[in-house]
Amino acid sequence: MSEANDQRAALSNKTAELSVAAFTFALGAVVIYDSWRLGAGWASDGPQTGYFPFYVGIIICVASLVNFVHALSISRKDGAFVEVGQLKLVLSVLVPSSVYVVLVGFLGIYVPSILYIAFFMRWLGRYAWWKAALVSVGTSAFFYCVFEIWFQVALPKGVVESLLGLD
C-alpha cells in the first residue's frame, strides 16, 4: 500500500465521538438496570444497595447524551481521528497482544510468552530466528525460576508444562 493511502482517514473525529458516546451510554444503562435490579430506592434503614450506582449510571447516561449531541454538531472537515497508517501500527500490537491473552487462558503463561516474544522480535524487530528463540525461551525460563522456584508463586500452566513435569 502506498504512503498516500496510509494518510487517509480510517476513522473521523465525528465517528469516534459518536461511537464513544454510544458506548458510554450503554455502560451507564447497564449500571442503571443492574442497580434497579438490586434495589435503587431508599429503605427504612437507609439507601438500598443500588441507590448510589443508580444515580452514577444516570449521570453517565446524561453526560453521554450531551457528548452524542455535541458530536452530531462536528462538521465533516473536523479531521481524522486516526489515519490508516496509524491504525495499522496500533493493530499490529493490539491483535497479537489479544491473541496472547487468549492463549494464556488455554496454554498457561510460559508457552504463549515464548511465542509472543519470539513473534515480536522476528516480525517487528526483524531479528534472526535463533536470537528470537534464544531470548524468548530464556526470558520464560528466567521468569519460571523467579516466580515458581524462588518466590514460590504458581503462575498459570498448560499442557506443555504438565508433559514436562513442571506443574
Side-chain angles (χ1 to χ4, degrees):
M1 197 179 269
S2 69
E3 271 192 45
N5 289 340
D6 287 343
Q7 301 269 335
R8 63 190 161 93
L11 185 67
S12 69
N13 279 331
K14 185 174 189 170
T15 304
E17 293 280 345
L18 290 171
S19 300
V20 170
F23 178 72
T24 56
F25 183 87
L27 288 178
V30 168
V31 169
I32 290 171
Y33 171 78
D34 206 38
S35 298
W36 189 261
R37 185 184 60 81
L38 292 173
W42 197 269
S44 61
D45 59 344
Q48 292 177 319
T49 307
Y51 182 80
F52 292 109
F54 176 79
Y55 288 104
V56 170
I58 288 176
I59 291 169
I60 291 171
C61 285
V62 169
S64 298
L65 286 175
V66 169
N67 287 337
F68 194 85
V69 170
H70 179 264
L72 288 174
S73 69
I74 294 176
S75 69
R76 286 200 167 273
K77 296 179 181 176
D78 194 38
F81 179 74
V82 65
E83 295 173 355
V84 172
Q86 296 168 330
L87 185 60
K88 284 181 181 178
L89 287 174
V90 170
L91 291 177
S92 71
V93 174
L94 179 66
V95 171
S97 299
S98 300
V99 170
Y100 169 73
V101 169
V102 170
L103 287 177
V104 167
F106 293 105
L107 299 175
I109 198 162
Y110 298 109
V111 173
S113 294
I114 291 169
L115 298 173
Y116 183 72
I117 294 168
F119 174 77
F120 271 104
M121 285 185 70
R122 182 72 181 140
W123 185 48
L124 293 179
R126 308 272 188 237
Y127 287 94
W129 278 109
W130 69 270
K131 289 180 182 178
L134 186 65
V135 169
S136 61
V137 171
T139 301
S140 285
F142 171 77
F143 282 114
Y144 177 82
C145 290
V146 168
F147 287 104
E148 303 285 339
I149 297 171
W150 298 333
F151 292 154
Q152 296 183 350
V153 175
L155 296 178
K157 293 180 203 62
V159 177
V160 174
E161 290 88 352
S162 294
L163 292 174
L164 296 173
L166 299 174
D167 56 348

